[in-house]
Amino acid sequence: GRLEAVTQQMGYHPQYLDSFLKMQHYLMHMDGPLPFDCRHYIAIMAAARHQCRYLVNLHVLQFLRAGGDPQWLRGLEFIPPKLRNLNEINKILAHRPWLITKEHIEKLLKISEWSWSLAELVHAVVLLAHCHALASFVFGCGCEQDEGLGVRGSLKPLSLGNQCFCEATAGNSYSQELLCINRKRSLDSCMELDSLRERMQRIHVETEGRDEMRLLQQDREEGEGQGAEGGVQGGRLSLLADTDGVVTGATNLACYMQDPDFGYQDFARRDEDQTQVFRVQDYSWEDHGFSLVNRLYSDIGHLLDEKFRMVDGLQSSAMAKRQGCEPSVFKRGIWNYIHCMFGIRYDDYDYAEVNQLLERMLKVYIKTVTCYPEKTNSEMFDRFWKQFKHSEKVHVNLLILEARMQAELLYALQAITQYMI
């Protein structure tokens, strides 16, 4: 009866959780331009960029539940070219979103057998940004379930019959409605579980029958040390199972991404020619991004906007009081610092305030969780703000989640706008 970890952490701020659940449910499970299995596979691709096994495992299960082809789980080589073409924009959005141009958009939308429609691309971009930012929250709050990372409160991996966190109850109206829906679904959970086990067994037989002897021979040649490392190599399908034989996720995340060495680099200085500072006065979420995304993917703009506003409205008087400032000033300092790391600037803000408001340890934590969350560890979480409550630390991670997601969306939507012009 224990709540899933993301829901558990966001539950410290129930109003935000309700807003998050509504947007997540709409994005993954309601009518939209993309098929359901493709949505979960895109989520897998996005989470893999930050080596977030927690989200990859969750969406592997949801992908199978949506009727996805298990062959796709062998890696990018086994998916349709249309999905594989999304890899470049996924990579750039995750690590250096300021590099996205209208040429990237044009390449995906060009007329061909594997071209994307504008509506499909907007849906995919929102999915990518959502999962990148959620990976930051997962690592920042210690939800990552890989015990090898030494994170806090590792939970038992989800079984196939369990709820996805986007359908978990949180004691509010929308979540209670989802709970009722899931009670109906649970009637078929045993049959669904058996069906998925049968499908996974079939794909194991197909792949292992062809490859086992070849891999064993390679292992002998390469030595026992290499043969035991990291599960199945070469992008071949490999799923873990718990003691009940329930599939829990992929062991090799490298098969879901290309160019793994591509990562975050500090945004270039203003005087460097190759990179332009993104000025919110020229292109903002409120004046530009909201209307574009809502026009191409109905209602998602309203749900995103509600979530942005909700995190901005969370009570933070205790945090601000400890820092000796007003709550709005403190939250804006965190938000603008995150956007600054992605090259987004506000002309009406004095960035000297950031150093005054945010102590060094907090800045190190925010930058790590925002830019390379896979490097976050439990010690970092425990060391910053020792005098602050856990709920206040979760609040900071919610600000990171939303500020990062909005930053990625701004760059992608601006590029789409430039293409349309």
Side-chain angles (χ1 to χ4, degrees), residues 89 93 97-106 118 121-122 125 267 275-285 287-293 296 342-345 405-421:
I89 198 172
L93 263 184
W98 57 87
L99 297 181
I100 287 187
T101 65
K102 66 178 181 180
E103 284 73 28
H104 291 108
I105 305 302
E106 184 177 14
L118 268 173
L121 184 56
V122 166
V125 162
F267 182 78
T275 306
Q276 296 294 323
V277 171
F278 186 110
R279 298 192 177 282
V280 174
Q281 283 70 17
D282 298 330
Y283 196 96
S284 67
W285 166 256
D287 297 332
H288 307 91
F290 169 80
S291 59
L292 176 63
V293 75
L296 294 172
F342 288 114
I344 298 175
R345 294 298 184 101
M405 182 174 185
Q406 188 178 102
E408 291 189 25
L409 285 177
L410 283 174
Y411 277 109
L413 294 175
Q414 183 194 49
I416 292 174
T417 300
Q418 291 172 344
Y419 167 81
M420 294 172 66
I421 294 175

Side-chain angles (χ1 to χ4, degrees), residues 206-271:
E206 292 174 359
T207 55
E208 292 188 6
R210 290 191 301 266
D211 298 341
E212 193 65 29
M213 293 305 296
R214 177 177 57 81
L215 289 172
L216 286 173
Q217 181 62 32
Q218 288 178 356
D219 288 345
R220 293 190 189 100
E221 294 173 357
E222 296 172 4
E224 294 181 0
Q226 290 179 326
E229 182 182 357
V232 178
Q233 303 297 318
R236 195 164 61 90
L237 176 67
S238 177
L239 300 178
L240 297 173
D242 62 18
T243 53
D244 298 323
V246 177
V247 175
T248 57
T251 62
N252 181 18
L253 303 190
C255 67
Y256 297 125
M257 57 179 172
Q258 298 171 355
D259 196 4
D261 294 331
F262 186 91
Y264 176 81
Q265 291 182 351
D266 286 338
F267 182 78
R269 297 289 183 182
R270 184 178 302 185
D271 55 358

Side-chain angles (χ1 to χ4, degrees), residues 52-271:
C52 187
R53 293 182 183 277
Y54 178 93
L55 291 179
V56 170
N57 290 349
L58 186 147
H59 286 287
V60 163
L61 300 183
Q62 293 293 316
F63 170 78
L64 293 171
R65 292 180 67 176
D69 184 353
Q71 288 282 352
W72 292 14
L73 300 180
R74 299 174 67 185
L76 299 183
E77 297 177 14
F78 300 89
I79 65 177
K82 180 176 178 177
L83 266 182
R84 191 161 57 248
N85 291 341
L86 201 64
N87 179 69
E88 183 71 10
I89 198 172
N90 174 35
K91 177 183 74 173
I92 296 175
L93 263 184
H95 305 295
R96 305 174 207 170
W98 57 87
L99 297 181
I100 287 187
T101 65
K102 66 178 181 180
E103 284 73 28
H104 291 108
I105 305 302
E106 184 177 14
K107 185 177 179 181
L108 290 169
L109 297 175
K110 67 181 181 180
I111 300 175
S112 72
E113 184 181 357
W114 307 110
S115 64
W116 291 72
S117 70
L118 268 173
E120 289 174 331
L121 184 56
V122 166
H123 193 169
V125 162
V126 175
L127 268 169
L128 292 172
H130 171 69
C131 291
H132 295 155
L134 190 55
S136 285
F137 182 85
V138 166
F139 280 105
C141 286
C143 302
E144 172 68 20
Q145 296 186 35
D146 189 337
E147 294 182 2
L149 297 178
V151 295
R152 302 166 303 289
S154 295
L155 304 178
K156 182 179 178 182
L158 295 173
S159 70
L160 294 178
N162 286 353
Q163 296 174 358
C164 171
F165 62 79
C166 59
E167 299 170 342
T169 177
N172 51 53
S173 59
Y174 186 80
S175 301
Q176 290 293 342
E177 180 182 343
L178 285 176
L179 182 60
C180 293
I181 295 172
N182 283 313
R183 281 173 179 162
K184 295 178 181 178
R185 291 179 180 172
S186 68
L187 296 174
D188 299 322
S189 62
C190 292
M191 293 179 61
E192 177 187 36
L193 181 56
D194 290 339
S195 174
L196 286 175
R197 281 175 175 163
E198 187 176 317
R199 291 173 64 195
M200 293 312 303
Q201 181 63 33
R202 186 167 62 250
I203 191 63
H204 269 295
V205 170
E206 292 174 359
T207 55
E208 292 188 6
R210 290 191 301 266
D211 298 341
E212 193 65 29
M213 293 305 296
R214 177 177 57 81
L215 289 172
L216 286 173
Q217 181 62 32
Q218 288 178 356
D219 288 345
R220 293 190 189 100
E221 294 173 357
E222 296 172 4
E224 294 181 0
Q226 290 179 326
E229 182 182 357
V232 178
Q233 303 297 318
R236 195 164 61 90
L237 176 67
S238 177
L239 300 178
L240 297 173
D242 62 18
T243 53
D244 298 323
V246 177
V247 175
T248 57
T251 62
N252 181 18
L253 303 190
C255 67
Y256 297 125
M257 57 179 172
Q258 298 171 355
D259 196 4
D261 294 331
F262 186 91
Y264 176 81
Q265 291 182 351
D266 286 338
F267 182 78
R269 297 289 183 182
R270 184 178 302 185
D271 55 358

Side-chain angles (χ1 to χ4, degrees), residues 3-18 20-21 137 141 169-172 314 390-391 394-395 398:
L3 287 177
E4 182 277 332
V6 167
T7 307
Q8 202 173 34
Q9 298 295 335
M10 290 185 181
Y12 284 99
H13 304 280
Q15 287 183 315
Y16 172 86
L17 174 61
D18 188 44
F20 174 87
L21 292 177
F137 182 85
C141 286
T169 177
N172 51 53
L314 290 179
H390 185 86
S391 61
V394 171
H395 187 173
L398 292 177

Side-chain angles (χ1 to χ4, degrees), residues 9 12-13 140-141 152 315-323 330 359 362 365 380-398:
Q9 298 295 335
Y12 284 99
H13 304 280
C141 286
R152 302 166 303 289
Q315 296 299 316
S316 59
S317 55
M319 291 193 300
K321 185 177 180 181
R322 289 187 177 96
Q323 299 301 109
F330 183 63
E359 60 190 43
L362 174 58
Y365 177 81
M380 293 182 65
F381 184 91
D382 295 333
R383 283 177 61 192
F384 93 89
W385 280 0
K386 290 185 177 180
Q387 76 276 28
F388 281 63
K389 298 177 182 178
H390 185 86
S391 61
E392 294 169 338
K393 295 187 178 185
V394 171
H395 187 173
V396 172
N397 278 282
L398 292 177

